[in-house]
Structures are given as structure tokens and as C-alpha cells.
């Protein structure tokens, strides 16, 4: 999908909800496939991600010379409906203007216009596997014999990747790329302290660091597979090599018994 195609998919998901008695909070929970019993924080995160995606797609279209007046239906109405302030309102006060033909047509041609910016889609099983590894890592961290510093460091990496995966259906690979840059930066800035902590850490803590490095590297490889756009006749920019360079030594030391 490309930036506008993701908006079209969100718009289609909204159109499929016919029960106008629902509140917008329940509607968005369905669109984003959130657990209604534990979704409040994720709901706000997803709405902000959607509004960021609207701005991003608008900017990509504007850069191609698309006049602002051609974005006055679907883009504006979806942005207004995606405001957190609208969560208590009823779907009946928004549905008619959003399912109007001009909105669907606007998103459809916008997706066509940006068709050369398509990226590969992450397979559902790959997404599930990454989330499962994060959950396993978090579970192992909960009762592990590990210093407060290493506990916080690992938890930070888990949170960064999980947050990016949460909004992947809305914003695509970009949040994952940004999260991986953040993770790589953490490893680089904290290198001295990490090495000191690892040197005296028990085997369990070293194992968690190794698993964390493995999950980070796997996420980076997935990210590279999603970005198939060719640049200057060469392969797409790859993040796995640069991220791997800073995280794999922690896995290698554990695997080698060091």
C-alpha cells in the first residue's frame, strides 16, 4: 500500500459499519481491531497515527502539484472525525458525510496518484510472530534476575517496537523505521554502560539481552523486506545492516558464552 491507499482502507472499514447507534469510540475500536476492554490508550495512539497519516498523504500529494481544493472532501472529513474530541459523539452524526461518494472517489484517485510509492505489506503471520516474541520477551523480563538498568533498557526497546507495530496498519513501515533508529540510537549512546552491565550480569540477564537483540534484528529485516522502492538503480535503503551492527554483539557474546 501507499500513504493514500492506507487511508482508503480505513475509509472502507468505516463504511462497513452500519450500526449508527454506536459511539465513535466503539466505531474506531472496530476499525483498528482493538480489544474494547483494554483499548483506551491504544485508541488515542491510533487516532493520532491516523491524523499523522492524513497529513503525510496530503503532503505527498501536494508535492506532486495536487491542488488543495481536490482534498476538501474525504481528507478533511476523515481528519475531523478522527479527532479524539469526537469519541463521545455518535456514528450517526458522521457516517453520512463520510460514506458520501465524493469521499470514496477522493481516496481512490489519491491512492492511484501515489501508486509508485507502494510498499510491500507485512504478512499477518509475520506481524503475529513479532508480537508473540515481544510478549515472550516481556514475560521473561517480569520475573528475571536482572539489574534495574537492564530491565528498563530492555523494556524501552520492547515498547518502541510494539508501539510501531500497533500503528503499522495505519501508517505502514515508517513508524517501524523510526522506532528502529531510536533503538539503534539507544544501543549506541548506552554502549559503555551496557557493556559494563553485561559483563557482570547473570546468565539469565545476558539471555534476555541476546533475545532482545534478536527481536530487534528480525524487526529490521522485516522492515527491509517491506521497502521495495528502488533508488538510483540500486536496492532500497536497508536498515537491517546498520541496526545489526549495534545490536548483534550482545547476542554474539551470549551465544559464544562471553
Amino acid at each position: 500500500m501507499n500513504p493514500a491507499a492506507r487511508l482508503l482502507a480505513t475509509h472502507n472499514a468505516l463504511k462497513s459499519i452500519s450500526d449508527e447507534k454506536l459511539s465513535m469510540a466503539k466505531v474506531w475500536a472496530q476499525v483498528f481491531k482493538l480489544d474494547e476492554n483494554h483499548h483506551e490508550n491504544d485508541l488515542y495512539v491510533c487516532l493520532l497515527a491516523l491524523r499523522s497519516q492524513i497529513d503525510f498523504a496530503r503532503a505527498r500529494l501536494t508535492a506532486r502539484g495536487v491542488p488543495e481544493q481536490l482534498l476538501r472532501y474525504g481528507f478533511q472529513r476523515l481528519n475531523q472525525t478522527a479527532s479524539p474530541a469526537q469519541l463521545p459523539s455518535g456514528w450517526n452524526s458522521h457516517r453520512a458525510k463520510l460514506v458520501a461518494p465524493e469521499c470514496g472517489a477522493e481516496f481512490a484517485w489519491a491512492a492511484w496518484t501515489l501508486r509508485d510509492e507502494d510498499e510491500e505489506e507485512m504478512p499477518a503471520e509475520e506481524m503475529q510472530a513479532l508480537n508473540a516474541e515481544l510478549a515472550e520477551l516481556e514475560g521473561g523480563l517480569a520475573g528475571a534476575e536482572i539489574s534495574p538498568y537492564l530491565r528498563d533498557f530492555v523494556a524501552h526497546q520492547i515498547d518502541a517496537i510494539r508501539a510501531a507495530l500497533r500503528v503499522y496498519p495505519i501508517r505502514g513501515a515508517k513508524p517501524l523505521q523510526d522506532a528502529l533508529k531510536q533503538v539503534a540510537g539507544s544501543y549506541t549512546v548506552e554502549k559503555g554502560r551496557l557493556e559494563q552491565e553485561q559483563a557482570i550480569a547473570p546468565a539469565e540477564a545476558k539471555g534476555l539481552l541476546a533475545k532482545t537483540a534478536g527481536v530487534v534484528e528480525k524487526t529490521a529485516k522485516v522492515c527491509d523486506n517491506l521497502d521495495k522502492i528502488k533508488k538510483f538503480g540500486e536496492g532500497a535503503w536497508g536498515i537491517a545492516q546498520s541496526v545489526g551492527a549495534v545490536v548483534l554483539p550482545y547476542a554474539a557474546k551470549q551465544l559464544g558464552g562471553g
Side-chain angles (χ1 to χ4, degrees):
M1 286 191 183
N2 62 58
R6 294 192 179 279
L7 297 181
L8 176 61
T10 299
H11 180 254
N12 287 336
L14 280 168
K15 284 172 58 178
S16 71
I17 300 177
S18 58
D19 186 356
E20 296 189 2
K21 295 179 181 178
L22 294 176
S23 69
M24 284 312 303
K26 291 186 178 296
V27 168
W28 285 121
Q30 290 187 31
V31 170
F32 298 137
K33 300 178 180 178
L34 302 176
D35 178 352
E36 290 193 21
N37 295 320
H38 305 90
H39 75 277
E40 186 174 355
N41 290 338
D42 282 343
L43 185 54
Y44 281 94
V45 168
C46 288
L47 284 176
L48 293 177
L50 176 57
R51 299 189 82 178
S52 293
Q53 184 69 3
I54 293 170
D55 290 342
F56 181 64
R58 188 193 297 271
R60 299 303 303 138
L61 290 163
T62 300
R64 292 172 181 249
V66 174
E68 180 65 25
Q69 62 264 31
L70 295 183
L71 307 175
R72 69 182 183 276
Y73 295 119
F75 277 70
Q76 288 188 16
R77 292 174 187 177
L78 184 59
N79 189 62
Q80 291 167 358
T81 306
S83 170
Q86 297 297 331
L87 287 175
S89 64
W91 180 214
N92 59 347
S93 63
H94 303 276
R95 190 175 190 277
K97 64 181 180 182
L98 273 174
V99 302
E102 61 268 22
C103 291
E106 186 174 301
F107 288 124
W109 72 251
W112 182 87
T113 301
L114 298 180
R115 64 194 181 282
D116 60 341
E117 297 188 21
D118 280 350
E119 65 181 29
E120 294 293 321
E121 284 298 292
M122 185 187 305
E125 59 272 18
E126 210 159 51
M127 170 84 79
Q128 292 170 358
L130 285 175
N131 276 313
E133 290 198 44
L134 290 171
E136 181 182 352
L137 187 57
E138 190 171 48
L141 187 63
E145 183 184 349
I146 187 171
S147 71
Y149 170 80
L150 288 180
R151 184 182 300 278
D152 289 346
F153 183 85
V154 171
H156 180 73
Q157 314 319 317
I158 293 172
D159 289 345
I161 295 175
R162 177 179 285 146
L165 289 174
R166 173 64 269 172
V167 300
Y168 171 78
I170 304 168
R171 298 201 61 204
K174 190 177 186 306
L176 271 177
Q177 293 170 346
D178 291 344
L180 287 165
K181 292 176 187 176
Q182 175 185 328
V183 168
S186 296
Y187 273 90
T188 301
V189 171
E190 301 288 333
K191 181 180 178 181
R193 178 71 184 274
L194 274 174
E195 290 179 345
Q196 289 177 0
E197 291 278 347
Q198 188 183 45
I200 60 174
E204 186 179 25
K206 290 180 180 178
L208 282 169
L209 281 176
K211 288 180 181 179
T212 304
V215 172
V216 171
E217 186 203 20
K218 185 177 293 186
T219 306
K221 288 180 177 178
V222 168
C223 225
D224 280 355
N225 289 336
L226 297 177
D227 188 2
K228 299 296 185 183
I229 301 172
K230 301 300 179 182
K231 299 177 180 178
F232 308 107
E234 299 177 355
W237 170 77
I239 196 170
Q241 184 175 359
S242 56
V243 169
V246 296
V247 304
L248 285 187
Y250 299 94
K253 287 179 183 179
Q254 171 63 12
L255 293 173

